[in-house]
Amino acid sequence: MKSLPISLLIFALATATALAYDPSPLQDFCVAINDPKVFVNGKFCKDPKQVTADDFLFKGFRYPGNTANPLGSKVTPAFVDQFPGLNTLGISMARIDFAPSGLNPPHTHPRGTEILVVAEGTLLVGFVTSNQLNNTLLTKVLYKGDVFVFPIGLIHFQLNIGKTPALAFAALSSQNPGVITIANAVFGSKPPISPDVLTKAFQVDKKVVDYLQAQFWYDNN
């Protein structure tokens, strides 16, 4: 088999880099600042001469999130909006607190893969593959110290099946991975999706759709 030309290999590497989800930094760092006059794909950079160590520190994980809500869970994100030092670095984190039976409901991250480690408690976790793989559910019970990965864009969830509170930390492969909670997006969109669409999509009576759209869909983020 003939070896590939060097020019083709260089092109392939360049293409892979160009298709990265987050842009690669062109300097040591780019601490985010907001400019209300201009919208860009990402954040503007703070003047490096004005950057301090505090720009690279996030204290939001020190305290438990409030799980006294309908889902019994609370996600504390450390994305670029909360942690400006992440800008252009292609990473972020989240703390997830669970009451007993608390649920982080089915959701997706459109711009990032998630890797989760259980710090306390016992979690039932899982994700669903794409239509191409027959929407297969892959699920596992995790214990303290266990790690599980959720591939980018796939619907996934975490449920505390223990009798005590649980705690997990997640790392994501984007400074701004995004969150789409499935129930909130489908039944709580503003303006609402036409019942004609939802009744046919879910093969249910319009009364069921009306009931679901009338509910308050809590956001635990």
Side-chain angles (χ1 to χ4, degrees):
M1 183 177 182
K2 294 183 179 179
S3 59
L4 292 174
I6 292 177
S7 59
L8 183 58
L9 292 174
I10 293 174
F11 174 76
L13 289 172
T15 302
T17 302
L19 294 176
Y21 285 96
D22 283 1
S24 299
L26 300 177
Q27 60 280 321
D28 287 350
F29 47 78
C30 174
V31 174
I33 57 172
N34 291 317
D35 187 328
K37 304 183 191 67
V38 182
F39 184 82
V40 295
N41 184 27
K43 299 282 187 179
F44 284 101
C45 300
K46 186 177 184 179
D47 185 341
K49 295 178 181 178
Q50 297 178 8
V51 167
T52 70
D54 286 338
D55 291 312
F56 301 96
L57 173 66
F58 180 75
K59 299 179 180 180
F61 291 169
R62 290 186 177 186
Y63 306 105
N66 183 5
T67 59
N69 59 64
L71 293 173
S73 70
K74 179 62 179 176
V75 178
T76 303
F79 298 170
V80 69
D81 284 342
Q82 298 83 25
F83 192 0
L86 296 181
N87 195 38
T88 75
L89 299 184
I91 56 171
S92 59
M93 290 188 69
R95 171 182 175 139
I96 314 162
D97 290 275
F98 300 85
S101 301
L103 171 70
N104 192 16
H107 63 282
T108 73
H109 301 291
R111 294 180 294 276
T113 290
E114 174 183 344
I115 187 166
L116 178 135
V117 59
V118 178
E120 297 290 344
T122 306
L123 297 178
L124 172 67
V125 308
F127 65 86
V128 180
T129 64
S130 63
N131 296 8
Q132 183 180 5
L133 295 178
N134 301 314
N135 302 125
T136 303
L137 172 64
L138 300 175
T139 185
K140 201 74 178 174
V141 174
L142 304 185
Y143 301 93
K144 182 177 180 178
D146 288 349
V147 178
F148 198 84
V149 65
F150 305 99
I152 184 171
L154 298 185
I155 297 173
H156 60 283
F157 62 87
Q158 299 104 25
L159 173 67
N160 181 7
I161 59 174
K163 296 181 179 180
T164 60
L167 172 64
F169 291 92
L172 299 106
S173 62
S174 170
Q175 68 182 40
N176 185 27
V179 182
I180 302 173
T181 305
I182 306 305
N184 302 42
V186 174
F187 297 110
S189 66
K190 300 178 184 61
I193 298 173
S194 168
D196 293 336
V197 173
L198 297 181
T199 52
K200 183 161 287 190
F202 288 94
Q203 298 293 291
V204 296
D205 188 86
K206 183 176 181 295
K207 291 181 179 179
V208 176
V209 171
D210 290 341
Y211 171 79
L212 291 171
Q213 289 187 321
Q215 303 307 301
F216 172 72
W217 296 99
Y218 184 81
D219 181 7
N220 66 336
N221 288 270

